[in-house]
Amino acid sequence: MQTRVPRQSPLLLSTWCCLVVGMLSVPLCAQDDAPRQAARVRISLPIAGSSDVAIQQSVERALQALPTVEPRPVLILEIRPGRGGSADASQFERCLALARFLTSTEMSRVRTVAYLPESVTGHAVLLPLACEQIIMAPDAQLGDAGILEKSISATMRQAYEEIAGFRNSLPAAIALGMLDRQTQVFRVNDRQFVTGEKYDEMKKAGEVAKSEKIVSTGELAIFTGRDLRLKYQLISHLAESQQQLAAQLEVSDVELQLDYSLERDWKATQVKLSGGVTNNQVQQLMRMIQSEVSGKVNLVLVEIDSPGGDPVAVESLMNYLLKQPDEVRTVALIKQQAAGNAAIVAFACDEIVVATDAILGGDGAYQYSEQGTTDVRNFLIQVGEKKQRRWSAWAAMCDPQLEVANYRHKQSGLTALFCPEELQQQIAPDQWEQTEVITIAGQPLELTGGQAFDWRLADAIAADATDVARRYGVTGEISTPVRTWAHQLIDALAHPGLAWFFLFIGISALIMEMQAPGVGIFGFMSAICFGFYFWSQFLSGTAGWLEVLLFVGGVGFVLVEIFVLPGFGIFGLGGGAMILGSVVLASQTFIWPQTDYQLAQVPYSLANIFIVIAAMGAAMMFAKHIVPYVPYLRDTMLQPPDEESAEAQSRRETIVDLTHLVGQTGVAQSQLVPGGKAKFGRELVNVTCETGFAPRGAELIAVSARGNYLIVRPK
């Protein structure tokens, strides 16, 4: 007897199959929906010396931090030129070693993505070739690999073919076209890229239906990200920002925050900018940082708690922070307040970290004029280009009339703060739509730390320096430069009152020294006072070698006028002007005022001129009415004879008869211009040169005698 199996209906069977497939697919879907892990490592160009070793260590640290899961974690290598050196100067051997590491088995558990926000040229091209995926900014360029090579060896060609062929992120023909000027590259049948030799073979075989020469002989291939993506379809995506990059890779924006603990072993120091910003304070801060950096510190934490102040000092500090070498990273920490122009100091640092309730911007200790706001805006635009930051909100913290609004990109959904000027600088301004205005007319922009972080003006939130150190993986203590007695002495010497005192005493002593024979106590006092004056101004940042040379040259010209060319001519006038100019310039940081703040400083600088004039008058009065009655000082000065002595001298001179010297030969004891001294036998007499000039030591003939002097001519 046969057992009859009941026939299943098609509907029931399909339902059963769907249930089975659904049960089997649940874990897979859940796994696919799991958030992708990611890490980002920055690579600064050029790659030279031992930098490839440091980069490899950073990548290995990132690998250790990423889990071994599916889907594979993403490792983003952000490749961009550093602040020092040429990006073209990357060494072939170093780049090849790093590229081979990126294509090693060890790297297979992550998906490597080369992100190029700026142009990459020279042999650093090997790095994106060694990655599985390339993402570029639209205007960034990739190519010119052999730009510094005089000849291309077979080893180089083989290396480029090997790396490009392993990942195939770019065709090997394109890689060779970037390296060798003798290589032609053709685009065949829209999707295939071949060298000139391969193109000839394909053409003979009748395999070419459509072709285009994209690299000619004698040139190196270089392409923008826009062309590689839109024209040739060779790279996967375009991204102008970290947010766009995260969206393209389908990872969290937070995942792409640079983990600086992966980059190197950090040795940190902390300096504080507190109270009103002054030039003296900034100079002291810069000296501290320089001292710490010289001691191998590579992480400088600048804690800002200030209402702002001197705009020239603020700009000087920002320029100093911008000039720090690539191996030194600067971090601004704002825990309480960075009001007015103190806030923009943070804009010049590599990273900005804030406490949630900190205050940025708002009314500060210094308010810019209309011209001042234009100057600071232009300066922030330059800083923003170097730091790859948007500048509008920072300028609004100093300019109460600048309107800043939050905008949203219609396609990407990216949000950013722009003023009208910066909005027009974007590639497609019409793609941005305004959502809200964040400034209040007539008031400088003021934000809390939380708002600054939400609007991406700050890079991270931290309560104190310990939190920052934790982010960087600092293992040792954060050093804090201490104010030594030398710093305190510098501060005291740089005080305007003490500087003016040294200037007054120095000028007075110099005038009195000129009235004394030889070099005496007044010359010593003058040298000491002027030494202290220029040293204090030099350490305060207002004086340099120009001012010192002007002063020394001016004194030299005045001495020439007094002792070599008696009278009151160009040397005396020029020397006096040089002395006054050096004194004025030593009291200010500019040569000619160009901003409102500099104009406000001019009266203080001109006050030095009145001090010099007062010192000259005081010195002359002192020499005339006091010195003659002081026993010791009386012997150090050349005093005019009293009335009786002058009358006796005149009587003696009127009866002097020098006719016996007429016709005799003498020697000039000083330069005759035309008057001077000459010696005839044992007699030293006053003479006047008939020809107008005779050098010292010249032989003279007495022509005639006139009272108490002789008329002479050179023999």
Side-chain angles (χ1 to χ4, degrees), residues 286-356:
M286 292 191 295
R287 286 193 297 271
M288 288 182 175
I289 294 175
Q290 186 59 42
S291 175
E292 292 294 301
V293 170
S294 300
K296 305 304 180 183
V297 163
N298 56 5
L299 179 61
V300 178
L301 181 60
V302 183
E303 183 178 333
I304 305 173
D305 183 13
S306 169
D310 184 345
V312 178
V314 167
E315 186 173 334
S316 298
L317 179 57
M318 294 176 69
N319 281 322
Y320 179 78
L321 294 172
L322 288 171
K323 293 177 182 177
Q324 291 302 305
D326 277 348
E327 58 270 16
V328 176
R329 185 166 182 80
T330 55
V331 179
L333 172 61
I334 304 174
K335 296 194 300 183
Q336 297 179 358
Q337 177 194 39
N341 56 7
I344 64 176
V345 173
F347 191 65
C349 293
D350 296 320
E351 188 179 27
I352 303 171
V353 180
V354 295
T356 306

Side-chain angles (χ1 to χ4, degrees), residues 38-111:
R40 176 165 146 243
V41 175
R42 179 175 293 172
I43 298 177
S44 296
L45 304 180
I47 299 173
S50 60
S51 62
D52 62 309
V53 177
I55 293 171
Q56 182 172 334
Q57 291 174 348
S58 297
V59 173
E60 288 173 342
R61 292 191 189 105
L63 285 177
Q64 294 173 1
L66 289 172
T68 305
V69 295
E70 289 294 338
R72 286 188 304 159
V74 178
L75 178 61
I76 299 154
L77 303 179
E78 182 180 310
I79 308 170
R80 65 168 70 208
R83 290 196 296 267
S86 171
D88 297 333
S90 296
Q91 297 173 354
F92 169 70
E93 294 80 5
R94 301 295 182 184
C95 293
L96 179 58
L98 197 52
R100 284 177 171 162
F101 168 72
L102 294 176
T103 56
S104 64
T105 307
E106 182 182 355
M107 297 295 297
S108 61
R109 70 181 187 86
V110 297
R111 176 156 63 97

Side-chain angles (χ1 to χ4, degrees), residues 88 121 168 223 348 455 481 657 659:
D88 297 333
T121 54
N168 203 29
F223 305 95
W455 276 321
D657 184 10
T659 55

